[in-house]
Amino acid sequence: MLFKFPKASDSKESDITPESLYISRRQLLGATAAGVALSGLPRWASADVAGQYAEVEPGRAPAWFADKLPSTRWQAVTVQGEAITPFKDATHYNNFYEFGTDKGDPAANAGALKTEPWSVVVDGEVEKPGRYALEDFMKPYQLEERIYRLRCVEAWSMVIPWIGFPISALLKQVEPTSKAKYIRFETLQDPKSMPGQRSGFALIDWPYVEGLRLDEAMNPLAIMAVGMYGRELPNQNGAPLRLVVPWKYGFKSVKSIVRISLVSEQPKTTWQSIAANEYGFYANVNPTVDHPRWTQARERRLPSGLFSPNVRETQMFNGYSDEVAALYSGMDLRKNY
Ligand SMILES: Nc1nc2c(c(=O)[nH]1)N[C@H]1C(S)=C(S)[C@@H](COP(=O)(O)O)O[C@H]1N2
Ligand SMILES: [Mo]
């Protein structure tokens, strides 16, 4: 076993509650009893994790986040035997084209993003549409830490300890109608704070859009993240609310979300619109289907340097096959890349 998680195939969809994600009751109790250190960092953490979190730059958490953080279910899902990527790398090697296309641009420019106040629109095929202030939107959700691999289509990878809640919990709140077949996510469009949206070279037709099939969104691994490394999300990582779908290439995990729509047709997504032959709607991590311009069989695990490239084999579904392979049974993954 590479990580601790009940197999999705062990339970019917209706049986899957956030409770089923606990590693063990003992670990859960340990986590909540220890609580959160004054610095805002969890002090329950095992030695190696605490070592990583010690370097975390403290943020300025919004009140709703600070209130919820102490009851977080720490390490609800984790990765065994792979080090967490240092905070510095996870926050200074980013893709967030709204702030520029160089890996350092988001860290340099995303300070201008104003994440408070923030509102989220839920619309489309739902019984309960609405526009919510983020603090109200977040009220129903119990936060969980999810330590996941992140595999970019550009063949680098990290291990990131996210804090968030399952999309299935959101769907339970908004009640999709029988016509809802896909979920569509939209990033903020604000050229004033996002220099990439002002630049003349219009590679992307803003806003950035991503989507999932409804059954993919219901999978317990698919989460909406609001934090990482024991704190709120840094702006360059998609504050204040982003998607994280660990078995898919990173570009599916859309940042700084302002609109969530339930729709009947497969949404037109950003990278698919740019180059449909290179970036598909599914974008499942798959070492056997190469990108037209490079192999996907291997990846550079960050930190990676000239003399220690830290190359590893890419795993099918990024190592989450047991949990997600059933979603694609009968599908040709060469055609549906
Ligand atoms: N809105 C938006 N979301 C985005 C992107 C982007 O450019 N804009 N880049 C994607 C890509 S390609 C990756 S690999 C991940 C990177 O997430 P990270 O910077 O938090 O590691 O964000 C994804 N989400
Ligand atoms: Mo990516």
Side-chain angles (χ1 to χ4, degrees):
M1 267 298 265
L2 284 162
F3 64 103
K4 299 164 179 171
F5 198 78
K7 285 191 184 179
S9 53
D10 287 344
S11 49
K12 299 194 297 292
E13 202 166 77
S14 58
D15 291 339
I16 299 171
T17 64
E19 283 77 13
S20 66
L21 301 171
Y22 299 160
I23 300 169
S24 71
R25 193 170 154 70
R26 208 174 128 258
Q27 193 146 4
L28 170 71
L29 291 174
T32 42
V36 166
L38 284 177
S39 63
L41 303 178
R43 70 153 81 104
W44 52 271
S46 59
D48 57 333
V49 175
Q52 302 286 354
Y53 288 4
E55 299 157 21
V56 172
E57 219 176 275
R60 286 220 279 135
W64 64 263
F65 184 86
D67 288 347
K68 275 180 176 284
L69 188 64
S71 58
T72 299
R73 291 168 185 154
W74 299 104
Q75 290 190 321
V77 178
T78 185
V79 174
Q80 295 293 296
E82 293 174 48
I84 288 176
T85 301
F87 180 76
K88 189 94 193 164
D89 296 281
T91 54
H92 290 80
Y93 190 93
N94 299 101
N95 279 331
F96 198 168
Y97 279 19
E98 285 82 343
F99 295 102
T101 52
D102 287 346
K103 293 290 182 279
D105 287 345
N109 300 330
L113 177 68
K114 197 170 163 239
T115 58
E116 264 191 296
W118 191 270
S119 61
V120 182
V121 171
V122 178
D123 63 5
E125 292 296 340
V126 284
E127 301 292 351
K128 304 223 173 104
R131 171 188 280 271
Y132 304 87
L134 184 60
E135 56 271 28
D136 296 329
F137 176 83
M138 288 302 297
K139 272 192 185 125
Y141 309 117
Q142 156 82 54
L143 297 183
E144 295 179 26
E145 185 178 52
R146 302 289 191 95
I147 305 177
Y148 286 161
R149 298 180 200 90
L150 172 80
R151 175 38 164 100
C152 177
V153 74
E154 299 163 337
W156 52 263
S157 66
M158 305 192 193
V159 174
I160 300 185
W162 304 106
I163 295 172
F165 62 92
I167 303 176
S168 62
L170 163 72
L171 293 173
K172 207 170 149 191
Q173 290 294 323
V174 304
E175 299 177 19
T177 71
S178 60
K179 288 190 195 138
K181 298 286 181 275
Y182 295 87
I183 182 165
R184 177 186 184 278
F185 301 90
E186 203 176 283
T187 296
L188 176 71
Q189 181 161 16
D190 181 29
K192 281 196 300 303
S193 64
M194 296 175 145
Q197 293 181 339
R198 297 197 295 266
S199 85
F201 113 108
L203 174 68
I204 293 179
D205 186 14
W206 310 105
Y208 193 102
V209 169
E210 259 307 335
L212 298 170
R213 229 170 48 193
L214 207 53
D215 60 335
E216 296 180 308
M218 285 296 291
N219 186 279
L221 286 177
I223 61 167
M224 309 286 306
V226 292
M228 60 195 259
Y229 295 82
R231 52 160 283 177
E232 80 282 7
L233 283 176
N235 287 358
Q236 61 266 41
N237 295 90
L241 178 72
R242 70 173 293 175
L243 189 66
V244 177
V245 199
W247 70 94
K248 293 178 178 284
Y249 291 121
F251 68 83
K252 296 294 291 183
S253 291
V254 46
K255 295 175 167 179
S256 304
I257 292 168
V258 293
R259 185 174 174 204
I260 302 171
S261 311
L262 277 291
V263 293
S264 56
E265 305 286 329
Q266 184 176 301
K268 244 187 152 328
T269 56
T270 292
W271 281 99
Q272 199 186 15
S273 306
I274 294 168
N277 62 323
E278 301 188 9
Y279 310 101
F281 176 79
Y282 284 94
N284 292 316
V285 175
N286 188 340
T288 70
V289 177
D290 287 338
H291 186 277
R293 293 181 280 127
W294 60 82
T295 175
Q296 294 292 24
R298 286 169 295 281
E299 65 200 53
R300 267 182 321 117
R301 173 64 52 86
L302 270 69
S304 147
L306 192 54
F307 300 106
S308 54
N310 205 7
V311 171
R312 44 173 77 216
E313 311 255 296
T314 290
Q315 303 179 68
M316 188 66 205
F317 295 117
N318 205 22
Y320 300 101
S321 290
D322 285 352
E323 289 69 30
V324 305
L327 291 168
Y328 311 103
S329 59
M331 271 178 65
D332 181 347
L333 297 179
R334 296 200 152 269
K335 282 206 191 104
N336 297 286
Y337 51 88

